[in-house]
Amino acid sequence: MQSTLNASTQKTPLLLPSEILINVIKLLRFKDILIFRTVCRNANFSVLQYWITANLGPKVTVKNTKDFPITFPRNCAAHLKLFEVEFTNLESILNGWSLIKILEIAHQKKSVTHLLYLPGSTILSKYLPYYQKLQTLIIPSHHINNTGLCAISEALSKLPNFKKLNISDNNEITDYGIGYLATSLPRLEHLDIKENFEIGPEGYRKIAQHMTNLKVLEISLTNMDSSLITLAGSLIALKTLIIEGRPPFYMDAASASILANNLVNLEVLNTKWVFNDESLIAFSAACRMNNLRVLNIIGGQLDPLYPSIGDESLEILCLVPSLQQSLRNLGVRRNRLTSKSMVAVAEYLPFLESVIATINNIDDEGAIALSQLQNLRYLNLEKNPISEEGISTLKALEMSANFAIEIKVSEPIDPAFSLAFI
């Protein structure tokens, strides 16, 4: 009798008949059902029986495949056919999922808008024509070559809504692959080809010739600054330009001058290891950018391999009439700046809303001058020689004004700053 009582008290709901388990499953959320089915065979059988009897299961919107739990079984792709799943952001880094099966399931739903894809570009090109709603494709870090890029470019050309392609850090891509891409996707709006150092002048010329609809371009400098001149002459629709230098190469004065004179519609210019004093002065002298609201100039401070700017070149930049009216966000991290140039910034750029000047040589005078900007909402002066007294003064000003002063790292207000390099 005692053993019978113990056995009865040790019974769990999982030992109940399937009909009762199904009633319990009906009360669970989709993600909880996926976890529940991994408990034991009886639970898994009950879940599958529920999906089948419930007319192919629940309708589910999966905004990101990471929403699925780690415990999702390896053969889950086959079971996706049991219910209606709408993918909007498909990532191929999945917990044991069969990639080809996922692509098959997703293209049947025809709802993918963003895709991060790593292995097998040839496989991907087979399924891309089915993604009629696809807007973004990311294939980073050594996962595509010229052959794969040509196949994918041809497939993407058939997608009416496609806008953004990120193929950064794929050094097997050369001028041939970029040329094929440029001729295949003339309507592309956002192209990221940073750290593709095998792309030469011919590849950039193809971009300038065919991709005149580009609004955002992300590139890395090599030893061919003339390529930037070619780009600047044609990409007049460009709104955002992100440039990363590669020591010992940086933008020369001639390229900076052409860039500033031609890209009159540019709104965001983010640079890292690109400007030195000479090129920034040339940029300032030729600048016709009436709409530039975000300017980031990240330097290498005292490292001789990395260019940086000093007080004189920044003061000259502050005298550009068009920038005095348009500039709202200024970033000058890791340069050789002192309070002298910060006083000029405060005087000649009165409409600034955000200033990031971390890792410079700015003392109390420059910090207090910046804090008195009338429209200032965000100020980051981390790793500058500001005294305790200066910090106290800044905090007092912060309390009496409507802006935030950061001595430690934090996120800037303007979303465009998120495009800048850290």
Side-chain angles (χ1 to χ4, degrees), residues 184-226:
S184 300
L185 298 174
R187 302 190 310 272
L188 196 67
E189 296 182 4
H190 186 153
L191 177 62
D192 184 349
I193 52 174
K194 291 193 307 291
E195 299 186 49
N196 290 336
F197 298 114
E198 297 304 316
I199 300 175
E202 182 60 28
Y204 283 112
R205 275 194 288 270
K206 290 290 186 179
I207 292 174
Q209 179 182 356
H210 298 284
M211 307 186 84
T212 55
N213 197 45
L214 277 177
K215 292 181 173 58
V216 181
L217 178 63
E218 305 183 41
I219 61 175
S220 293
L221 290 180
T222 56
N223 59 346
M224 60 287 267
D225 278 341
S226 60

Side-chain angles (χ1 to χ4, degrees), residues 47-179:
V47 169
L48 293 178
Q49 187 177 5
Y50 164 63
W51 281 342
I52 294 171
T53 57
N55 193 22
L56 298 184
K59 293 183 179 179
V60 180
T61 297
V62 181
K63 293 185 178 180
N64 191 316
T65 47
K66 289 182 179 179
D67 291 342
F68 288 115
I70 295 177
T71 53
F72 207 75
R74 284 187 174 272
N75 61 346
C76 65
H79 294 311
L80 283 177
K81 296 177 180 178
L82 294 174
F83 49 91
E84 298 179 28
V85 179
E86 179 179 320
F87 289 98
T88 59
N89 190 354
L90 182 64
E91 296 192 9
S92 65
I93 310 175
L94 307 174
N95 302 312
W97 291 30
S98 167
L99 183 58
I100 297 178
K101 286 292 185 183
I102 287 297
L103 292 172
E104 289 177 351
I105 299 298
H107 93 252
Q108 291 170 4
K109 305 304 177 184
K110 298 180 176 61
S111 57
V112 176
T113 57
H114 296 78
L115 175 59
L116 170 63
Y117 189 84
L118 295 184
S121 54
T122 304
I123 296 174
L124 177 62
S125 63
K126 173 183 175 182
Y127 293 98
L128 278 177
Y130 298 101
Y131 298 135
Q132 290 298 303
K133 294 183 180 179
L134 190 67
Q135 299 176 15
T136 301
L137 176 61
I138 303 173
I139 312 178
S141 303
H142 313 295
H143 284 96
I144 189 171
N145 54 21
N146 281 338
T147 302
L149 183 59
C150 292
I152 285 176
S153 299
E154 187 172 347
L156 291 174
S157 67
K158 300 178 174 65
L159 305 182
N161 300 307
F162 190 72
K163 298 178 180 179
K164 176 182 177 180
L165 178 63
N166 181 341
I167 50 173
S168 59
D169 195 17
N170 286 286
N171 280 318
E172 292 187 33
I173 296 176
T174 66
D175 289 347
Y176 176 79
I178 285 296

Side-chain angles (χ1 to χ4, degrees), residues 21-39:
L21 286 179
I22 287 175
N23 287 329
V24 173
I25 293 168
K26 289 179 180 178
L27 303 176
L28 300 178
R29 296 175 303 172
F30 174 67
K31 290 175 67 173
D32 295 330
I33 292 176
L34 298 181
I35 297 173
F36 178 77
R37 66 174 297 201
T38 64
V39 173

Side-chain angles (χ1 to χ4, degrees), residues 278-337:
E278 181 183 3
S279 57
L280 186 60
I281 291 172
F283 177 90
S284 302
C287 186
R288 295 194 306 123
M289 298 177 177
N290 296 315
N291 301 313
L292 192 68
R293 61 181 178 82
V294 175
L295 175 60
N296 269 293
I297 303 173
I298 300 177
Q301 208 174 37
L302 300 179
D303 192 324
L305 291 178
Y306 297 85
S308 60
I309 61 171
D311 287 331
E312 181 182 358
S313 57
L314 184 58
E315 288 172 335
I316 292 174
L317 179 77
C318 292
L319 298 177
V320 178
S322 60
L323 297 185
Q324 291 176 354
Q325 298 299 316
S326 67
L327 206 59
R328 297 294 183 269
N329 306 276
L330 177 64
V332 285
R333 286 169 281 184
R334 297 180 179 274
N335 285 291
R336 298 173 282 106
L337 303 174

